[in-house]
Amino acid sequence: MLQRIAKPVLLLVLLVLARQAYATEGMWLPQLLSGLNEKEMKGMGMKITASDIYNINKGSLKDAIVSFGGFCTAEVISEQGLLLTNHHCGYDAIQKHSSLQNNFLENGFWAKSAVEELPNPGLFATFIVRIDDITKAALQDVKPGMSEKERQSVIDRRLNDIKQTVRRESWQDVMIKPFYEGNQYFLFVTETYRDVRLVGAPPSSIGKFGSDTDNWVWPRHTGDFSMFRIYAGKDGRPAPYSKDNVPLKPKYALTISLKGVKQNDFTMVMGFPGRTTEYLPSEAVKQTVEVLDAAKVDMRDAALKIIDGYMRKDQQIKIQYAAKYAGTANYWKKWMGEMQGVKQTNGIGKKLQYEDNYRQLMEANPVWKQKYSGVLDSLNLYYSQIQPYAQARDYYSELVKNVELFTVGDRLITFLNDVHERGEGQYETMREQFLASMQPFYQNYNAKVDHDICVSLTNLYAKAIPARYAGNEFAQIWQEHNRDGRTLSDKLYALSGLTSPEKLKAFVQQPYNTVVSQMWTDPATRLVMAMRKGFVDNVSKPLADIQANINNLQRTYMQAQMDVMSSKKAFYPDANSTLRVTYGKVDGYNPRDAIHYDFYTYLDGVMEKYVPGDYEFDVPARLIELYKKKDYGRYGVNGKMPVCFIASNHTTGGNSGSPALDAHGHLIGLNFDRTWEGTMSDINFDPAICRNIMVDIRYVLFIVDKYAGCTRLIDELKLQ
């Protein structure tokens, strides 16, 4: 019997080891792939080389990837500078071009010619020209025993010198970022184009189908894409907007594959992931999911319920608050998934086990023990000490961010402080600049909505934050208004000079000294100053002191992990909005007992979810017509229209809009989300349930071609 089961058991062990070997965790620097990842990537099925991905001597995949506005990723898909990104990445631009008469959010937008492509002031696209390791030069003045402030000061001086001498063209920029908690530094030479025009976008009933209900959820049926175009000067270089600018001739444009994907196919995602913290100690992970995430979810949940109620009743408010609601809801739901995912996968327990293994290996090596003994324990202790301050910070931040009257007050205080520093003689000039900067804010502001948010959130804030952190001034104002958010809010919105652009202008048109003195009598600015003082005195200062100690030890602990645990795992740097490559395989997953999710969705699922007139699940008549006729053109497969698929690529915020590439480096999809259970991948990647969600490129092209009839865009593309 033992002999008869030995081979199956051995096979099972080998399969488990193979799965572990291809865990697909990591956000890797493209210039290091040849030394660190190329062999594994080819073992998983990749058919191209590392130099096809990153090359400074000829066009490569990295030359088709841009940082879109600094908050998303986009990719060049034609020789005429056509960009593809997510609908939610282009949402703000689409909204700004929308009105009740021309509601591009509701109806979509398609430029029938280049003349109709719409400029977007402030929007930019940044390419990476090359990446250099400058660690040795950056850290050459760092000495043992330096304080965090001293260390950073000498590094900053050295980085400034490096920037001045780096080899680059006059129109190129230089960016330097720390990696591995400041143990390494890399320099990026970049090119930024600031004439980026809206070309096309489906209606929100396609581009945002499922809206907030389906956000962070699989199965997904969202055509989350929009199209822009980069324009350059006639010399091909970056230039400010001009009607004389011409479409960019890129170094590289992606080829598009219409072949689709199947189970276990290799996939690769390139983009600019924003922030991850994969190497935190156990106490920090526990604090994040049990305290800080819970605080932020609490505040946003209350705000979103109020906004949603108004948006459902008023079309104008729906337009005004669409982008704000989406932005607020995005991380609200993400944090809930993060909490659930860490709990479901025993993330904290696994982190504790990892730390036990680390301690055993560290203490068994005399050199490591002398160098790193006590670092982890001290780090966990500091995180315990910072917890109440971090919680107070998050409640305060969410209050000021979500109550927009407080946002105005905060900006006004900052503006007056700037005048004080520069001199009162600058007041009139700076006042006009301040008022101009506030105009876009008030275009999407409704005092009635904000009033109700203020009622709810001030009640939550006062209940959650101990008086010693909120401050005496806030406590007094709260007491004056019977410790009641509605009583306080009624007064604020009835009497404050900040609730409309006209009132704000009248308020600041007074002499500087008058405005400063009246800040103490206006109820909104008085409250904002009280909260701000309480935060600075009682939260920000002690938090900063503890954080400095954490930063120091976290950097040491990062190096310790790379030294001690190098035989156990490969270490990639945390995301920091720089270009990265992540790779995995097309695969479903099992989120809970007896539940299995397949890796593909189809247009059939859109129709199954269809609710006529619903703002989340309505479906355009034209799409219904195409579905009934099965008129999918060359984009359908066996009478079905693929919509979305999932794979095990390690992504995060900032990867929205990133291209999903196949084994040949061809575009097969557009990354736009993660599964709810896998949102924890920012702090705790687990290959069993962490999946990224992509819209199939064939659905994108189907919408552009068959739905919108915008064949001029299809004609630009290189299809295979």
Side-chain angles (χ1 to χ4, degrees), residues 183-201:
N183 285 296
Q184 293 183 25
Y185 281 81
F186 288 89
L187 178 148
F188 298 77
V189 176
T190 64
E191 287 182 351
T192 297
Y193 292 81
R194 301 187 181 278
D195 186 355
V196 180
R197 305 183 194 180
L198 177 62
V199 174

Side-chain angles (χ1 to χ4, degrees), residues 7 45 51 62 159 192 266 318 328 334 460 586 590 602:
K7 287 184 178 179
S51 65
K62 64 100 172 161
L159 296 184
T192 297
F266 174 85
K318 182 178 178 181
T328 302
K334 183 262 186 186
L460 285 171
V586 175
N590 302 292
Y602 296 88

Side-chain angles (χ1 to χ4, degrees), residues 577-623:
S577 298
T578 56
L579 183 61
R580 304 297 181 89
V581 175
T582 179
Y583 50 92
K585 288 196 172 187
V586 175
D587 197 6
Y589 73 109
N590 302 292
R592 289 173 295 282
D593 183 44
I595 296 177
H596 173 74
Y597 284 133
D598 202 357
F599 60 88
Y600 244 125
T601 62
Y602 296 88
L603 191 55
D604 305 67
V606 174
M607 299 307 162
E608 290 170 2
K609 292 180 177 179
Y610 172 39
V611 180
D614 186 83
Y615 88 100
E616 292 187 303
F617 295 103
D618 201 3
V619 177
R622 172 63 176 157
L623 188 58

Side-chain angles (χ1 to χ4, degrees), residues 142-202:
V142 174
K143 307 296 181 187
M146 279 184 168
S147 68
E148 279 296 291
K149 187 175 182 180
E150 291 171 333
R151 183 182 190 274
Q152 195 57 53
S153 180
V154 299
I155 291 175
D156 288 343
R157 285 197 297 270
R158 179 57 60 186
L159 296 184
N160 185 61
D161 292 341
I162 294 170
K163 283 183 177 181
Q164 302 306 315
T165 59
V166 67
R167 175 176 54 85
R168 64 183 176 92
E169 302 293 346
S170 60
W171 62 87
Q172 295 173 340
D173 299 310
V174 176
M175 174 181 70
I176 299 175
K177 291 255 188 162
F179 292 77
Y180 298 108
E181 303 291 347
N183 285 296
Q184 293 183 25
Y185 281 81
F186 288 89
L187 178 148
F188 298 77
V189 176
T190 64
E191 287 182 351
T192 297
Y193 292 81
R194 301 187 181 278
D195 186 355
V196 180
R197 305 183 194 180
L198 177 62
V199 174

Side-chain angles (χ1 to χ4, degrees), residues 32 54 58 61 93 121 182 187 384 399 444 472 572 574 596 638:
L32 302 180
Y54 176 89
K58 64 177 184 178
L61 287 175
L187 178 148
S384 297
L399 180 66
N444 295 314
N472 295 331
Y572 56 92
D574 272 317
H596 173 74
N638 299 323

Side-chain angles (χ1 to χ4, degrees), residues 135 138-139 142-155 178-185 279-281 358 371-372 375-376 379 382-383 546-563 571 574:
T135 303
L139 301 180
V142 174
K143 307 296 181 187
M146 279 184 168
S147 68
E148 279 296 291
K149 187 175 182 180
E150 291 171 333
R151 183 182 190 274
Q152 195 57 53
S153 180
V154 299
I155 291 175
F179 292 77
Y180 298 108
E181 303 291 347
N183 285 296
Q184 293 183 25
Y185 281 81
Y279 305 107
L280 293 174
Y358 160 83
K371 190 175 182 180
Y372 299 128
V375 169
L376 175 57
L379 190 55
Y382 278 127
Y383 270 107
I546 300 173
Q547 189 64 54
N549 291 324
I550 287 175
N551 293 346
N552 188 320
L553 284 177
Q554 186 71 49
R555 183 174 59 253
T556 304
Y557 180 51
M558 183 72 253
Q559 187 61 56
Q561 291 179 79
M562 291 191 290
D563 288 346
F571 289 88
D574 272 317

